Amino acid sequence: MLNLERLRTLDALSRHGSVSGAAGALHITTSAVSQQMSKLEREVGQRLLAKNGRGVRLTDAGRLLAEHAARILSQVELAEADLEAQRGQVAGELRLAAFPTAARGLFPAALAALRAEHPALRLRSSELEPERGVAGVVRGDFDLAVVLDWYNKPMPLPDGLVKAPLLDDPADVAMPAGHRLAHREEVDLAEFADDEWITWGEGEFCHEWLMFTLRSRGIEPLLGHRAAETHTQLGLVAEGLGVCIAPLLGRHPMPAGVVTLPLRQRVRRHVYVVWRADADRRPSIRAAVGALQAVAGRLG
C-alpha cells in the first residue's frame, strides 16, 4: 500500500525540482524529504531519485510514479472537497495569496469578515506577484489567489483552474505636482516619451505589460527605478524621480506632491480570484470568494 504523505513528497519534488523546494512547499525539513523518499523507494522496490550534480533528479520510475501521484492527490482533494460540501461547514485551513495592492486593498476587510462569520476557519495569507500566486495554486501551496491581467494583455491560466471576477481597476498616470502636464484633465502615453518611468521588477507581469504598452505606442521607455509596491512607486514620484502607472486599488492615501491623471486611452486591470477545479465544491472556497466579491463590490 502506497503511503499518501510519501506520494505528496514525491509530487512536491516533481513540481519544485529540488529537495529544498519540496521541503519549503511542504513546510518540513530537507532531511524529512529525504527520509520520506527513502521509505517510498523501499515500498516500491525501485530507485526514484538519482544524483544530478549537487541536486537530484527523478528516475524514469520516479517520473512515472509522480504522474500517478499527481492524479491520486487530485482525487483525494476532490474527495475531501465533496465531504466538506456534504457537511456544509466552513472550517479547516484556507491558504490565500494576493498581489501587493490587492493584499492591501481587499484582504484586510475580506479576511476580517470571514473570521467573524466563520470562526472555525483558519486563514493564512501571503503577498505574492500574480504569476507566483497562480503557480502556488497549481502546486497546491495555496487554495486560492487574487491575480490580475490588463485590458490589452491577458494572463494565461493553466488548465484545471477556475476563476471568478472581482473588479475592473482603473489606472492613471502618476506624476510630480510640478510636472509640465500636471494641469491637464487627461493625458496621452506618447506625451511621456522623454520621462523616466518607475516600474515593477524585471520579469514581473505588470512590468512586461508596461513595456509592451509603451512600445506599442512607439515609446522606448526610459527606466529610472523599480519597486514592487504602488506606494513605494508613488513615494519616488513625489520626490520628482519619475512617473508611474497608478491603479486605483490600494492607491490611497496618496502622498503629497503627486498628481494622477486619466489616460485618453483608458487603462484598466481585471482583478479576479482563481482556485483549483478539484476544490470547487469546498464551502470554504465559496465563502472566501463571496467575501472578496463583497469587498470588491464596495470598491467598484
Side-chain angles (χ1 to χ4, degrees), residues 60-283:
D60 289 345
R63 287 195 297 271
L64 177 64
L65 186 56
E67 292 174 2
H68 284 289
R71 290 194 291 271
I72 291 167
L73 293 170
S74 178
Q75 286 298 312
V76 169
E77 182 159 7
L78 183 60
E80 290 173 344
D82 283 345
L83 287 170
E84 187 178 322
Q86 187 180 51
R87 288 196 304 269
Q89 296 176 346
V90 180
E93 182 174 273
L94 193 69
R95 299 156 300 169
L96 311 92
F99 61 94
T101 49
R104 184 174 68 249
L106 295 176
F107 267 9
L111 300 187
L114 278 169
R115 187 171 65 177
E117 190 169 351
H118 307 288
L121 183 64
R122 297 187 305 278
L123 299 166
R124 303 288 182 266
S125 68
S126 298
E127 186 178 286
L128 292 175
E129 290 302 320
E131 310 95 313
R132 293 182 61 198
V134 168
V137 172
V138 170
R139 288 194 305 265
D141 299 342
F142 299 100
D143 298 300
L144 57 80
V146 178
V147 299
L148 64 89
D149 54 30
W150 293 85
Y151 74 105
N152 60 342
K153 192 173 177 64
M155 175 182 284
L157 287 181
D159 292 338
L161 296 185
V162 179
K163 72 175 186 177
L166 295 178
L167 75 156
D168 279 352
D169 187 25
D172 301 329
V173 177
M175 65 198 76
H179 192 277
R180 66 187 186 281
L181 301 176
H183 66 282
R184 299 268 294 276
E185 292 186 1
E186 62 179 15
V187 288
D188 191 286
L189 275 177
E191 297 177 285
F192 296 92
D194 297 325
D195 285 275
E196 278 194 282
W197 282 91
I198 298 163
T199 181
W200 295 267
E202 182 71 36
E204 291 182 9
F205 182 69
C206 289
H207 170 75
E208 297 302 324
W209 165 80
L210 182 61
M211 298 301 99
F212 167 80
T213 302
L214 291 173
R215 286 167 179 160
S216 71
R217 306 286 168 81
I219 301 171
E220 185 55 38
L222 303 172
L223 302 183
H225 304 275
R226 297 177 184 274
E229 239 289 349
T230 297
H231 265 252
T232 304
Q233 294 186 9
L234 291 173
L236 293 168
V237 172
E239 295 301 325
L241 296 171
V243 300
C244 74
I245 295 293
L248 183 61
L249 180 64
R251 180 196 299 177
H252 299 290
M254 183 69 69
V258 176
V259 171
T260 59
L261 294 177
L263 284 158
R264 192 167 294 121
Q265 310 90 350
R266 294 293 186 255
V267 171
R268 286 182 176 272
R269 302 189 301 183
H270 307 302
V271 180
Y272 51 97
V273 57
V274 299
W275 63 94
R276 293 183 302 281
D278 51 18
D280 194 46
R281 302 178 193 175
R282 289 177 58 187

